[in-house]
Each structure stands twice: as C-alpha cells, then as structure tokens.
C-alpha cells in the first residue's frame, strides 16, 4: 500500500466523496483553483483528468473540456505537475489519483510516469482503457502507487474477481453501461452490482458514471463506500466558487 | 515472445503463427478497451472459435460468398496496363467485382452471421469511405438485422453516394462531429456507442484492427482473397509471381491477400509482398503513413504503429482516399513489417491519381482511390524487378464512390 494510498479517502464512517476535475480546463490556474476549491469543500479524493485525443470512455462534458485543454497543449506531464503543486501547498491534502488513457503513459514511458507520480505525491492511477488483464507492465512499473481497475455491469464473476484482486486503493464500479456523463436517477440493479463487486474484493467500492446531483449522490452513497462525481463538476470548472458550492452540497448530502 | 519464436515466425510458412492466446502479434495487438466491453470481446472470441469448427456455419458462409457475393472473384490479366508500366504481366484480383463493389462484404457477411449466432438483433459499424458501411448495411438487410453506421461528417460530405446507399438498404447513418470528422473519430464513436448498447448490439468492425479478436476475425473472413489467389496462380499457370501487392489503410484487403501467402508458402517460394500506405501530400506534409512515420502506441483498443504527437495524442491523418485516411495500421501488418515479411511503401495522393487515370483509360476499369495506391506501386516494381516480372495486385474496390473527388482533382476534363 502506498504511503499516500488512495484508501485513506475511505477512512470516515460515511461514504467518501471522489471528485473528478479536468487538468487545464479552462486554463491551468483556474483548474488548480478548482481542485483547491473541491478540497476545501470536503472532497475526500481528487481524481485529476488528463486531456487526450481519443477519449473512448468519456461523454460530451468531459470530452469537451478535454479538447479545450488539449488544444492548449495540456497533457500528462502537466497533470502530474498540477498534482504536485496542489499536494505541496496543502497541509493535509486529500489523496490524488490521475485518470488518464494509456497511450500518454506509454509515450512518456511507464517507469518515468511512475517515478514522477511518486515524487509528486500522487496516490494512484485510474486508466479506463487498460483492463485488468492487460496491465502487467504497468503494475510492474508502478510500485508504491495504487492502481484502480474498473468493474462494469457486464463484468463476469471471473473478471470481477481479477479486478478485486489486482486493484489497490479502491475498486471503481461503473454504475451503468456507456460513457461518463450525468443521467437521471440511479441505474436499476446498482445495489446488486455493488454487492457483486463487494463479494469480489476487500477494498472499498466507489461508484461512478452518471451521478450529477446531491440527491443522486445520497442514493448511491446509501449502497456504496464512495461516490464519484465528474461531469457535473467539470461543467462548473470555469468558476472555482461554483465548484466549491457544488462540492459542498454533494458532501452535505453524504452526511 | 522468445527470440526463437520470432526467428521461426520471420521465416513465414508453418513457423508463422499469430496471434498468440492473448491476441498479440509480436508486441502488437492486444486488448485496450473499457471493462464494459471486455466480456463481449471474450464472448466473441469463444463464438468465433466455435463457428470456425462448425461445418454448418462454414457452409452457410461459403455458399453466401459464392451465390450472393459472386466469389471466387476473377484474376484478370491486364495486358495494356502491364505494357504501360513496363512489366511482363500484371494480374488483377478483382475484388471490385464482388457484390457492393469491394472486398468489405466478405467480412461483413461473416460478422453478421456471428451476430446472429450470438443472438444480437442489432449491428453497428464505423466507416470511412463508406464501403464498409454499405457492406454492413447490405449484410444486415440480407440477414434481417437492424443496422446503424457511424461516419465522420467530413466523410459524409466526401462520400455522399455511399451514405445514400446505406440509407436505401435500411441503415441509419449517424454523423460523427468530433476532431477531423473522419474514420478515426468514427471508430471511437462506434466503440463508445457499443459500451452503451453492448447487450443487444454486435460491433461489425471493418478493418483488421481494434481489440482482439477483431484483427483475427477480419483476417480469417478476408483470407478468402489469398486462398483463391493461391489456387488461381495454378489455374492460370502463373506459378509463383515475382510480387503481390495491395493497399493498406487499416489493412483488411492486404491481410486477406498476404496472410495465406505468408503461411502457405515457405521462404524461397514466396513472392515479394508489398503494401501501399497513404503518403497523402507527401511524408513532409499531411499523410497517413503510420509505418513510415509512426511509432508504437495504443489507440482504438490495440497496440500498433501510430501517428502521434509528443504527448501521445493521435495525429490527424490525411489521404485523398477516405479508406486510407487513418493514423494507425492493423497490428499484424506492424508485425509483418518488423519481421520483414512484407514491405510497406508510401504512395502520395498525386501518384494514386495518376494510377487511377491509367487504369480507367488503359483497361476500362474505374478503381477505388484506395486500390489506386496499390496500382501506383507497379512502375516502381518494374524498375526494381525488370520488364519480365509478373506482379499480382489486389484491386480492393471500384471507384464509383470516388468520382466527385477525382473530378475535383481535375481528372476527366472537370
């Protein structure tokens, strides 16, 4: 387990609030201000998105913010730098995970990514296009860092077991089929899905994709160890005060 | 992979076995997709393996290829073309004569049969030039499946005929408005849509790329081209030609041509194999030459040579031919390239247009702009191999769909 391991976010006796923000949107300074605002408002874990040119798993909101930052030249190295600056300036920063696609990591070099991430104090990585059975090289390179694999409604029992065993920090449970983005209500069958994931792991189980309001967060929080909110925060990222108010309302809903 | 395995593979023939159990061709291929679709890929692999050993499936596939597609496609000796480019003989494998006008139909019939076998009532497909979209819409109509085709809005503009054809055949055409609005974005949009509808929807992937097992599925269904060729070499008394060539975007007609030759003929009995990739405006300008100018990376679910920037983002490709306008290349081509079993050469838009016109006027065949890239290799091969050399070329499709583009380029008197 990493010294700054992601599991620290789940130490409270209420569901943890995981907030996703896009690096460099609408610009570097404002995105750093939004990360700080989210932390002030009570986020338990910061998930920092990396702009990428082929965002396979993302819906419109995150894609749009990603393209915006991408055209300004923002990439993985910038996200690592932003994480470093954020962590270094806080007395008690919440753990930070990077959410990045795999090719920017390959391009920078897996060993180098891990080294810079450790130096920055990053706790771990979430890589949506790196399924658990394709991750040997990264797991070998990333000692001291957590790697969170995703569990989906379609995952077979055998795959859930692999996800549960090879993840560290927590398991990211995808609430519904499809990509990121706010949806109405919570997915039918979510309770059963979370139970299936829980049975496959000893780690906390956080649920993401589609959660966009305090009400939805409270509902999901009643069945999961953590609630991940992304698109609804990114949509407010041009105004750090708005991010702070919104994250505080999410946090309020989780008790 | 061990050095020994690689050495065996590099000889071709029986030693060349790909992919491995995890879907790798040497270091290329694999499966890099969101977890949501991983189980569907595992299921596809099982169903495909099962189908390949099921006589009823193979018989149904074979009879559709014969009676519906019109296979085997002819191997035609193009005498005036040979004379014009200075070769002893040029033989054209006429995939342009297959139903719907290109090789794409071989694969879509196979995959739509797999969709039915898996009980999925709906298929989706990406398309660049629109040929794969038409071929998927056709197979879906034939087999009673619902069909949606994802196409970049720039390609919709360039290939309006195929858009209309797809709609006539009952398919929904979904415009993709991201990035360069071409094939790469269409692949991403289709994969993304698949993660939403994976339970009732089968993804009919059009080229020998994407996550495992797609490169292998497409190769097996397209290998009918190469298997027919090997038989036709004998029928026409060609023996072993000096060279066999094909164009390569993702690389499905090329892998269907090359793979049976690589595995069927040992070293020393194999012709020179040459693939033509799109050099667009030239390698210093905008192009789609992923082997000449790319570096290994992951995109669209697989590892291969990829045109990418220093931060690992795919770079927009360019080719006058929408079907070659792609910043990556199928993983098996990357491996064949590294092993030296196939040589890949860049061909510019301009060279392709010259070859296009040559085939129109010299043989009365209007070729697809994709296939014209392969035709442009012929004068180079004449210089290299001499005026007695015999070259076989897979003419992957016909060019009706490209007439607006070549008219814009000033051919045929505008």
């Amino acid at each position: 387990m990493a010294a700054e391991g992601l599991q620290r976010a789940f130490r409270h006796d209420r569901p943890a609030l995981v907030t996703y923000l896009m690096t460099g949107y609408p610009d570097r300074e404002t995105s750093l201000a939004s990360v700080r605002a989210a932390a002030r408002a009570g986020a338990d874990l910061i998930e920092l998105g990396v702009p990428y040119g082929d965002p396979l798993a993302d819906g419109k909101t995150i894609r749009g913010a990603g393209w915006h930052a991408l055209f300004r030249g923002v990439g993985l190295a910038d996200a690592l730098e932003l994480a470093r600056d954020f962590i270094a300036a806080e007395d008690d920063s919440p753990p930070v995970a990077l959410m990045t696609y795999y090719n920017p990591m390959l391009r920078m070099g897996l060993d180098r990514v891990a080294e810079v991430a450790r130096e920055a104090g990053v706790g771990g990585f979430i890589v949506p296009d790196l399924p658990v059975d394709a991750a040997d090289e990264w797991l070998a390179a990333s000692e001291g860092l957590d790697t969170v694999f995703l569990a989906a409604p379609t995952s077979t029992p055998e795959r859930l077991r692999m996800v549960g065993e090879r993840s560290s920090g927590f398991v990211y449970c995808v609430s519904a089929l499809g990509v990121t983005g706010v949806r109405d209500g919570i997915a039918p069958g979510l309770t059963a899905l979370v139970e299936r994931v829980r049975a496959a792991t000893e780690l906390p189980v956080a649920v993401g994709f589609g959660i966009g309001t305090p009400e939805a967060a409270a509902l999901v929080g009643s069945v999961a160890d953590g609630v991940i909110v992304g698109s609804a925060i990114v949509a407010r990222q041009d105004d750090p005060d708005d991010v702070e108010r919104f994250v505080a309302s999410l946090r309020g809903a989780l008790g | 992979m061990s050095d020994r395995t690689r050495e065996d593979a590099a000889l071709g023939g029986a030693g060349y076995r790909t992919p491995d159990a995890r879907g790798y061709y040497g270091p290329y291929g694999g499966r890099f997709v969101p977890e949501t679709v991983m189980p569907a890929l595992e299921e596809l692999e099982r169903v495909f393996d099962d189908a390949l050993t099921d006589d009823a499936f193979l018989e149904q596939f074979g009879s559709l290829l014969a009676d519906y597609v019109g296979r085997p496609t002819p191997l035609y000796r193009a005498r005036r073309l040979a004379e014009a480019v200075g070769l002893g003989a040029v033989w054209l494998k006429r995939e342009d004569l297959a139903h719907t006008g290109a090789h794409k139909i071989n694969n879509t019939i196979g995959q739509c049969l797999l969709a039915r076998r898996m009980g999925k009532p709906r298929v989706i497909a990406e398309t660049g030039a629109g040929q794969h979209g038409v071929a998927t819409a056709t197979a879906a109509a034939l087999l009673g499946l619902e069909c949606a085709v994802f196409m970049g809005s720039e390609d919709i503009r360039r290939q309006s005929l195929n858009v209309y054809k797809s709609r006539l055949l009952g398919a929904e055409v979904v415009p993709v408005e991201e990035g360069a609005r071409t094939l790469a974005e269409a692949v991403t949009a289709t994969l993304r849509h698949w993660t939403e509808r994976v339970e009732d929807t089968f993804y009919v992937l059009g080229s020998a790329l994407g996550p495992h097992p797609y490169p292998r599925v497409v190769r097996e269904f397209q290998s009918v081209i190469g298997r027919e060729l090997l038989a036709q070499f004998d029928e026409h008394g060609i023996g072993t030609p000096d060279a066999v060539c094909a164009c390569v975007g993702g690389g499905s007609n090329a892998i269907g041509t090359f793979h049976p030759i690589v595995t069927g003929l040992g070293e020393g009995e194999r012709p020179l194999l040459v693939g033509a990739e799109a050099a667009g405006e030239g390698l210093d300008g905008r192009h789609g030459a992923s082997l000449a100018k790319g570096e290994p990376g992951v995109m669209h679910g697989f590892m291969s040579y990829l045109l990418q920037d220093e931060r690992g983002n795919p770079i927009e490709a360019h080719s006058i031919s929408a079907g070659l306008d792609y910043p990556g290349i199928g993983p098996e081509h990357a491996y064949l390239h590294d092993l030296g079993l196939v040589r890949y050469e860049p061909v510019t838009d301009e060279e392709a247009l010259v070859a296009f016109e040559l085939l129109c006027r010299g043989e009365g065949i209007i070729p697809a702009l994709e296939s014209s890239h392969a035709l442009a290799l012929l004068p180079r091969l004449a210089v290299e191999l001499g005026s007695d050399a015999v070259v076989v070329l897979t003419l992957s499709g016909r060019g009706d769909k490209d007439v607006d583009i070549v008219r814009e380029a000033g051919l045929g008197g505008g």
Side-chain angles (χ1 to χ4, degrees), chain B residues 34-327:
Chain B
E35 172 65 23
T36 307
V37 298
M38 283 297 289
L41 293 170
E42 291 178 345
E43 186 192 358
L44 171 59
E45 195 179 354
R46 279 193 305 276
V47 170
F48 179 60
D49 281 336
D50 184 55
L52 285 187
T53 57
D54 176 358
D55 289 340
F57 178 89
L58 294 174
E59 198 182 307
Q60 189 183 12
F61 181 51
S63 77
L64 285 173
L65 287 184
D67 304 332
Y68 185 75
V69 176
R71 303 206 71 92
T73 56
L75 185 63
Y76 160 71
R77 183 164 182 179
R79 293 172 197 273
R80 280 166 49 84
L81 176 64
E83 198 182 310
V85 298
L87 282 162
V90 174
W91 295 83
L92 301 177
K93 178 64 173 162
R94 299 289 306 274
E95 292 301 298
D96 61 314
L97 293 178
H99 179 43
T100 73
H103 68 288
K104 294 289 186 188
I105 190 82
N106 304 328
N107 172 49
T108 59
I109 287 190
Q111 288 197 39
C112 284
L113 286 173
L114 290 178
R116 284 232 307 217
R117 201 176 170 90
M118 290 167 82
K120 311 254 179 185
R122 181 170 180 269
V123 295
I124 52 173
E126 86 293 342
T127 196
Q131 288 299 111
H132 176 59
V134 169
T136 305
T138 300
L142 170 71
L143 296 170
L145 300 163
E146 193 189 326
C147 177
V149 174
F150 291 77
M151 191 167 184
S153 53
E154 170 63 14
D155 286 335
I156 288 181
R157 186 188 69 78
R158 288 196 284 186
Q159 304 286 351
S160 56
L161 179 65
N162 277 339
V163 175
Y164 184 59
K165 277 188 188 169
S166 302
R167 289 186 176 136
L168 280 178
L169 292 160
E172 177 195 0
V173 178
V174 184
V176 178
E177 302 281 1
E178 262 187 274
R181 301 174 170 81
T182 59
L183 179 56
E185 291 79 17
V187 176
T188 303
T190 316
L191 277 167
R192 214 180 262 144
H193 176 86
W194 197 35
T195 64
E196 285 164 21
R197 289 287 297 268
V198 66
E199 286 169 325
D200 73 340
T201 297
F202 184 101
Y203 182 5
V204 179
L205 217 156
S207 197
L209 48 79
H212 176 63
Y214 277 108
R216 179 172 154 246
V217 170
V218 176
R219 177 186 84 194
E220 294 304 316
F221 288 142
Q222 292 293 3
S223 284
V224 66
I225 302 173
R227 283 196 303 269
E228 285 176 8
L229 271 178
L230 288 171
Q232 286 167 326
F233 291 169
D234 286 344
E235 282 163 30
H236 290 281
I238 297 170
T240 300
D242 296 291
V244 175
C245 46
C247 64
V248 186
S252 70
N253 89 84
I255 207 67
T257 302
F258 296 153
H259 186 264
I261 296 175
V262 166
T263 51
L265 302 177
E267 208 190 14
E269 26 173 36
R270 248 193 334 270
L272 172 68
L273 301 175
V274 192
E277 58 173 355
E281 298 166 346
L283 293 183
D284 298 326
R286 300 181 304 153
H287 59 78
S290 19
L291 285 174
K293 289 288 191 178
E295 288 178 69
V298 165
M299 182 184 63
H300 295 156
F302 67 104
M303 164 86 72
S304 186
Y305 285 86
L306 172 66
L307 299 176
Q308 52 181 317
D309 67 16
E310 70 281 5
R311 290 183 296 277
N313 299 293
I315 293 177
E316 192 182 313
H318 167 80
S319 170
I320 192 168
S321 125
L324 305 186
D325 199 346
Y326 185 71

Side-chain angles (χ1 to χ4, degrees), chain A residues 1-12 16 18 44-46 87 92-98 117-118 120-126 142-148 167-171 203-204:
Chain A
M1 190 58 53
E4 292 294 308
L6 302 179
Q7 203 167 344
R8 191 159 59 86
F10 297 84
R11 67 186 187 278
H12 310 285
V18 180
D44 299 300
L45 195 155
I46 303 286
I87 294 163
D92 183 25
S93 129
V96 175
L98 253 61
R118 280 189 295 260
V122 166
F125 280 74
I126 305 167
S142 62
E143 197 186 324
L145 296 166
D146 289 331
T147 300
V148 175
S167 288
S168 45
F170 66 98
V171 172
L203 295 171

Side-chain angles (χ1 to χ4, degrees), chain A residues 82-164:
Chain A
L82 193 82
R84 183 197 64 198
D85 292 353
F86 165 67
I87 294 163
E90 303 277 313
D91 288 335
D92 183 25
S93 129
V96 175
L98 253 61
M99 184 143 178
T100 173
Y101 289 88
Y102 193 40
N103 202 48
M105 298 168 70
L106 287 171
R107 188 70 179 165
M108 189 168 168
L110 298 182
D111 290 331
R112 176 91 186 123
V113 172
E115 185 191 329
V116 176
R118 280 189 295 260
E119 282 169 14
V122 166
F125 280 74
I126 305 167
V127 189
D129 61 345
L130 186 66
V132 61
D133 39 353
D136 290 357
E137 281 180 62
W138 167 245
L139 289 174
S142 62
E143 197 186 324
L145 296 166
D146 289 331
T147 300
V148 175
F149 292 106
L150 281 73
T154 47
S155 298
T156 57
E158 191 193 348
R159 295 195 59 82
L160 283 183
R161 200 162 49 243
M162 250 193 303
V163 166

